[in-house]
């Protein structure tokens, strides 16, 4: 999509005028009129949940609350594409609800359930619509294309607009479309946290190290492969036979097909590893530790342990979200691996796909412009 053009009138008319004011948002040859009277510019299309549960709790609404800037360092972003992750399925079911409630309301002022209606979605690529007073033009301005990994305690990206602090967004690489960009931020943050923060790897010490990725064809796996190969590591992955071409194309040195039999058998025949990154879980820990080099500081890092109880250890919060996105945009030339793209109306189908697992890259939702709010 083309960069956002100037609105026909300023956002201040929303706050300072009682008379209706119509603005035109232009993307290429598509136009959408925004009526910004106080009674109209308060809602937007979104997928929400009103309670925790299975996929049937997802509800589409055109009347979700329009995000507003509450702090001077915040920005409002129009979402062009949203990436889905396993944490979205977990949060839909209520995982981490108590922890997130404490983060949103540390003084316990609000009643239980005040987070509803809740918008899911942690990955986002879009265009800045409005900047708070403390957001310096040197960093961001209206019309900038940005991407972000949204913290799990905030309203998510399965909506037409989202509000974030400026330190949670980065400028989107021009070489990536919004669809491609929405596939990167959260897996970049996760991979960086696991391999760098926990695993102790970096571009200066990674050369010739032997790394094993269990479950290498998903979002985190495909990003990790590219980062490790850029740093000179020898990378072995486990995946199904039909994903081998994908991971080979990302530079993997050795592939083990987990559908051919007990995967630990061929892995034990290989030279020992400096680090094992586990995206699979289950009983892998019982045998994966035996694949590590002895007496040399080799590490086993699992991403299947409960996410919200490990945010401190894995660092997937505030600053780490920004760090992971920054390394993706500046330090590496990353290929975004998008397995399937869904429309905004197909969010329930996209969530079911994530729930089934066996990913070959990322699942991304293209957020439509919604209905004309002036009608």
């Amino acid at each position: 999509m083309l960069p956002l053009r100037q609105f026909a009138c300023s956002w201040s008319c929303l706050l300072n005028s009682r008379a209706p004011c119509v603005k035109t948002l232009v993307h290429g040859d598509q136009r959408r009129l925004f009526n910004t009277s106080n009674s109209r510019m308060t809602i937007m299309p979104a997928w929400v949940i009103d309670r925790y549960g299975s996929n049937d709790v997802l509800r589409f609404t055109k009347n979700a609350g329009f995000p507003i800037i509450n702090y001077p360092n915040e920005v409002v972003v129009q979402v062009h594409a949203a990436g889905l992750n396993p944490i979205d399925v977990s949060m839909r079911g209520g995982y981490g609800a108590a922890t997130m409630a404490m983060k949103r309301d540390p003084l316990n002022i609000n009643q239980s359930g005040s987070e509803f209606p809740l918008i899911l979605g942690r990955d986002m690529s879009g265009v800045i619509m409005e900047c708070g007073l403390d957001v310096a033009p040197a960093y961001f301005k209206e019309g900038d294309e940005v991407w972000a990994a949204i913290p799990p305690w905030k309203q998510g990206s399965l909506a037409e607009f989202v509000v974030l602090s400026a330190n949670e967004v980065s400028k989107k690489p021009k070489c990536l479309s919004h669809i491609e960009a929405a596939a990167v931020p959260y897996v970049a943050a996760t991979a960086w946290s696991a391999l760098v923060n926990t695993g102790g790897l970096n571009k200066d010490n990674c050369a010739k190290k032997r790394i094993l990725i269990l479950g290498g064809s998903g979002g985190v796996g495909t990003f990790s492969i590219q980062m490790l190969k850029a740093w000179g590591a020898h990378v072995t992955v486990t995946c199904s036979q039909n994903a081998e071409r994908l991971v080979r194309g990302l530079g993997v040195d050795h592939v083990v097909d987990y559908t051919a039999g007990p995967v630990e058998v061929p892995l034990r025949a290989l030279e020992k590893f400096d680090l094992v990154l586990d995206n699979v879980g289950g009983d892998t820990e019982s045998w994966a530790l035996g694949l590590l080099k002895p007496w040399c500081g080799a590490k086993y890092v699992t991403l299947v342990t409960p996410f919200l109880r490990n945010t401190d250890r894995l660092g997937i919060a505030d600053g780490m979200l920004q760090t992971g996105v920054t390394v993706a945009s500046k330090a590496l030339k990353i290929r975004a691996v998008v397995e399937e793209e869904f429309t905004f109306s197909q969010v329930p189908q996209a969530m079911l796909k994530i729930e089934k697992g066996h990913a070959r890259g990322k699942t991304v939702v293209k957020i439509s412009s919604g209905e004309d709010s002036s009608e």
Side-chain angles (χ1 to χ4, degrees), residues 161-182:
F161 297 91
V162 65
V163 64
L164 296 167
S165 65
N167 65 357
E168 291 166 346
V169 302
S170 295
K171 289 186 179 180
K172 178 183 74 67
K174 294 181 180 179
C175 61
L176 298 180
S177 68
H178 284 294
I179 293 293
E180 292 170 328

Side-chain angles (χ1 to χ4, degrees), residues 100-116:
M100 293 302 98
M102 291 179 61
K103 184 68 177 180
R104 299 183 188 105
D105 183 25
L107 298 180
N108 198 27
I109 297 174
N110 298 320
Q111 294 182 344
S112 176
S114 61
E115 69 269 32
F116 300 120

Side-chain angles (χ1 to χ4, degrees), residues 4 32 62 240 250 261 331 347 359 363:
L4 183 67
R32 179 181 175 190
K62 297 180 182 178
S240 65
L250 298 175
V347 165
T363 297

Side-chain angles (χ1 to χ4, degrees), residues 15-326:
L15 302 175
N16 302 323
S17 174
R18 294 184 180 181
C21 175
V22 177
K23 298 184 277 190
T24 304
L25 181 63
V26 182
H27 292 290
D29 57 356
Q30 295 182 350
R31 293 172 178 266
R32 179 181 175 190
L33 299 178
F34 287 86
N35 184 320
T36 61
S37 66
N38 288 338
S39 64
R40 297 297 299 275
M41 196 59 174
T42 57
I43 59 175
M44 66 175 179
W47 283 92
V48 302
I49 62 173
D50 302 303
R51 66 186 190 281
Y52 298 116
S54 57
N55 215 43
D56 58 2
V57 301
L58 287 167
R59 174 175 66 87
F60 178 75
T61 178
K62 297 180 182 178
N63 299 312
F66 194 94
I68 60 173
I69 290 178
N70 292 307
Y71 301 97
N73 69 330
E74 290 181 330
V75 294
V76 174
V77 182
Q78 184 186 30
V79 182
H80 285 211
L84 295 182
N85 299 277
I87 190 176
D88 295 307
V89 175
S90 299
M91 290 183 66
R92 184 201 66 195
Y95 179 70
T99 304
M100 293 302 98
M102 291 179 61
K103 184 68 177 180
R104 299 183 188 105
D105 183 25
L107 298 180
N108 198 27
I109 297 174
N110 298 320
Q111 294 182 344
S112 176
S114 61
E115 69 269 32
F116 300 120
L118 180 63
I119 302 171
L120 302 175
R122 300 301 107 201
D123 276 318
M124 182 278 303
S125 181
V127 175
I128 289 182
M129 301 281 289
E130 182 182 9
C131 297
L133 295 177
D134 283 356
V135 180
Y139 295 102
F140 299 108
K141 61 183 182 299
E142 292 179 14
D144 282 346
E145 295 187 336
V146 295
W147 60 355
I150 302 174
W153 53 87
K154 291 194 171 185
Q155 292 284 40
S157 57
L158 293 177
E160 192 170 9
F161 297 91
V162 65
V163 64
L164 296 167
S165 65
N167 65 357
E168 291 166 346
V169 302
S170 295
K171 289 186 179 180
K172 178 183 74 67
K174 294 181 180 179
C175 61
L176 298 180
S177 68
H178 284 294
I179 293 293
E180 292 170 328
V184 174
Y186 209 77
V187 296
T190 305
W192 180 270
S193 301
L195 296 174
V196 178
N197 282 18
T198 304
L201 300 179
N202 58 61
K203 63 182 179 64
D204 297 319
N205 69 8
C206 209
K208 298 183 179 180
K209 276 188 166 54
R210 290 179 52 80
I211 313 297
L212 170 63
I213 302 176
L214 301 174
S217 63
V220 174
T222 53
F223 187 93
S224 298
I225 291 167
Q226 296 177 80
M227 186 164 71
L228 291 168
K229 291 307 299 179
W231 289 349
H234 181 283
V235 179
T236 298
V237 305
T238 65
C239 64
S240 65
Q241 186 178 26
N242 61 16
E244 180 172 353
R245 183 177 179 181
L246 168 64
V247 297
R248 290 280 191 190
L250 298 175
V252 162
D253 299 284
H254 187 69
V255 178
V256 177
D257 179 9
Y258 70 78
T259 65
V263 72
E264 62 268 29
V265 175
L267 288 174
R268 286 176 182 142
L270 301 176
E271 184 181 340
K272 301 294 186 181
F273 297 94
D274 295 283
L275 184 141
V276 175
L277 176 62
D278 183 5
N279 296 297
V280 177
D283 66 347
T284 54
E285 188 171 349
S286 64
W287 50 261
L289 294 174
L291 304 176
L292 296 171
K293 293 179 180 178
W295 314 111
C296 67
K299 295 183 179 180
Y300 170 80
V301 181
T302 177
L303 295 177
V304 188
T305 52
F307 172 88
L308 295 175
R309 290 199 293 270
N310 288 278
T311 51
D312 289 337
R313 181 172 67 85
L314 296 181
I316 308 175
D318 291 331
M320 213 60 257
L321 296 174
Q322 177 73 7
T323 302
V325 172
T326 300

